[in-house]
Amino acid sequence: MDVIIDFANKIFKPLIDLGAPPMMFIILAFLAMLMRVKPSKAIEGGLKLAIALTGMGAIIGILTGSFAPALQDFVKSTGIQLSITDVGWAPLATITWGSPFTLYFLLLLVILNIVMLIFKKTNTLDVDIFNVWHLAIVGLIVLYYSNNNLLLATLLVLLIGVMKFINADLMKPTFNDMLKMPSTNPTTTTHMNFMLNPLIMVFDKIIDKFFPFIDKYDFDATTLNKKIGFWGSKFAIGVYLGAFVGLLGQQSVKEIFTLAFTGGMCLELFSVIGTWFIGAVEPLSKGITDFMSKRLKGRTFNIGIDWPFVAARAEMWAVANILAPIMLIIALVLPGNKILPLGGIIAIGLTPALLIVTRGRVLRMVIIGTFMLPVFLWSGTIIAPFVTKTAKSVGAFPKGISDSVLITHSTLEGPVEKFLAVTVGRLGSEFNIQNLFLVIVFLAIYILLFAWYVKQMKKRNEEYKNAVQNKSSEKQVV
Amino acid sequence: MIKILTACGAGINSSHQIKTAIEEEMRNRGYDVAVDAVVIKDITEEMLKEYDIFAPIAKPDFGFEINIPIVEAGPILYRIPSMSEPVFDEMEQIIKSINK
């Protein structure tokens, strides 16, 4: 492995010295051409990534430039230690795609998918290339904490990768049920969101056993969403939170308005720049998908896409709206949390998994979600130094901002996996009995919990199958 | 000009794939279309009135009537031409019937 890295370093050193945006422009365009994408499309993609990285840097600069001082004053006047700026998911996705290792993890997962399909270990063809970043960031965290131990990062990414494909198969009948898809519809997803299902299911089973009566008090999600209207949209949330920080940070009235409007503007612009960067990965996604589907011709399988096909269910939005203020309160009192929720306060990294496990029971989603939020806040807090340093190294962080300023995403999908990555990474940098023991215990619990979840999901899928059979036999009787 | 609205979870990924694909294919077929991509949560009754066609990934329940034609655009995301073809055909039929 070291030989390969040395060799790669010699070849890529001049490229790396250019800095991330030019380097990724060249690599991404080259890789897309290798996947037989037209050169003009490949160059278009590479350029879009470069401008997205540059653009994210500019907006992060504006946001931290105005929020970081106000957050310092906020800490002083309230005594609450919330100094990390929550930029939401789009900057983190861009930063992760700004690392060449992400392309390595992408290649690894494409091969894993093909191998698992050939050996019939999964029935899902993943065409959601963009979301590879969720697993790539886990690999990058291992690299960061282990002084670049690529073997450990590779093994962890492969392990979680295998579990994600299995999970995509397991959830398929629930997706059919929740979204009224005919069984011929191939839609499923391998999204990292749903790796929280096992933990959520533990809480769901506890409610089943001890508090089943709460389902009686369930309410209609669509009515709530209709009432909230635009008040829950991105820019509105940016405005409230800007004002909130300004008020508690005892800023002047003028400054409070500035913070409010800056917050709203930055959240909107993160999304706009996010769309450039989707355009950047698009040619590569198309190339890889064509390559995979050509090689798997004649086989029928489910197709893994990004999670928002479940966004058609109103429950996940109602719960995201309810959890937002709950998260703000938890963030203020939770020991060990340093994030003031902003860009990630609408927890779309959590509510889709709640929806699928509880099958849309709103009250359960809110209760379990409340228990999950601390896990996200802690995970977001511990990865903040890594996120900030990586943002700097890929050129998506403005110069001249104080070293103490940290950024993160408060509701980043896969919080448990982030802890796992840090634990595995630490073992890589310091191999001793204690660290080894921690990794073994953590992995054992993680895998056993998943195995239990697999069993529960198989039971659920059996029930779905029986329900279909009963229906068809009823028809015959008639 | 036919105005089409699509949506997804963050208004960034899936909806933009749909937007790009519909704009490209419908222009190739000779129709003048403009597609906007938004967060599905942010759609209101007033907003939908501004559009001729709604093209979500799957049909959502907003708690109000959707009074414009709906084309479920999810299959575009599979990136397999034979699967997205029916979506484009359905859209073409509707555009013809709107006759703007």
Side-chain angles (χ1 to χ4, degrees), chain A residues 280-398:
Chain A
V281 185
E282 188 59 29
L284 185 67
S285 302
K286 199 151 174 24
I288 291 177
T289 316
D290 287 351
F291 173 86
M292 286 168 84
S293 43
K294 244 180 233 158
R295 263 142 201 86
L296 296 160
K297 234 180 197 146
R299 166 113 190 249
T300 55
F301 33 67
N302 294 327
I303 300 177
I305 60 174
D306 196 4
W307 68 267
F309 61 92
V310 307
R313 294 289 303 214
E315 297 91 338
M316 68 154 280
W317 295 114
V319 173
N321 285 328
I322 297 169
L323 286 179
I326 295 179
M327 178 151 107
L328 189 57
I329 295 166
I330 292 179
L332 293 174
V333 298
L334 182 71
N337 170 53
K338 294 225 157 53
I339 309 168
L340 186 76
L342 174 68
I345 198 165
I346 294 295
I348 55 174
L350 164 62
T351 53
L354 293 170
L355 176 82
I356 293 310
V357 175
T358 67
R359 287 182 272 193
R361 280 176 284 195
V362 180
L363 209 54
R364 284 185 189 226
M365 291 171 71
V366 172
I367 293 168
I368 302 173
T370 305
F371 281 102
M372 294 296 123
L373 286 173
V375 186
F376 282 90
L377 288 169
W378 284 323
S379 145
T381 301
I382 61 159
I383 65 167
F386 152 80
V387 172
T388 310
K389 197 177 162 223
T390 311
K392 285 179 181 163
S393 75
V394 302
F397 203 86

Side-chain angles (χ1 to χ4, degrees), chain A residues 129-250:
Chain A
I129 303 301
F130 163 70
N131 274 317
V132 160
W133 80 272
H134 280 296
L135 208 39
I137 200 171
V138 170
L140 293 181
I141 293 172
V142 176
L143 291 175
Y144 175 80
Y145 279 96
S146 67
N147 302 324
N148 294 321
N149 189 325
L150 194 58
L151 180 67
L152 279 182
T154 303
L155 289 175
L156 186 63
V157 166
L158 282 177
L159 171 75
I160 301 173
V162 168
M163 290 163 121
K164 281 195 334 146
F165 286 119
I166 294 172
N167 195 25
D169 295 336
L170 287 172
M171 291 186 292
K172 180 59 182 147
T174 310
F175 290 141
N176 290 352
D177 170 36
M178 299 282 302
L179 296 152
K180 310 254 174 319
M181 294 177 187
S183 57
T184 49
N185 184 317
T187 306
T188 189
T189 180
T190 66
H191 202 280
M192 187 64 120
N193 252 325
F194 302 102
M195 287 309 287
L196 200 60
N197 287 6
L199 193 56
I200 293 172
M201 192 170 262
V202 172
F203 284 79
D204 194 49
K205 293 287 170 195
I206 292 172
I207 294 177
D208 271 348
K209 205 156 182 113
F210 300 105
F211 314 99
F213 53 87
I214 66 163
D215 291 338
K216 273 192 304 203
Y217 304 102
D218 233 9
F219 53 91
D220 183 39
T222 50
T223 336
L224 180 83
N225 290 344
K226 217 175 126 189
K227 275 189 192 142
I228 290 176
F230 99 90
W231 297 101
S233 57
K234 272 189 301 260
F235 70 91
I237 286 171
V239 169
Y240 317 142
L241 288 171
F244 178 77
V245 170
L247 279 171
L248 290 189
Q250 295 177 346

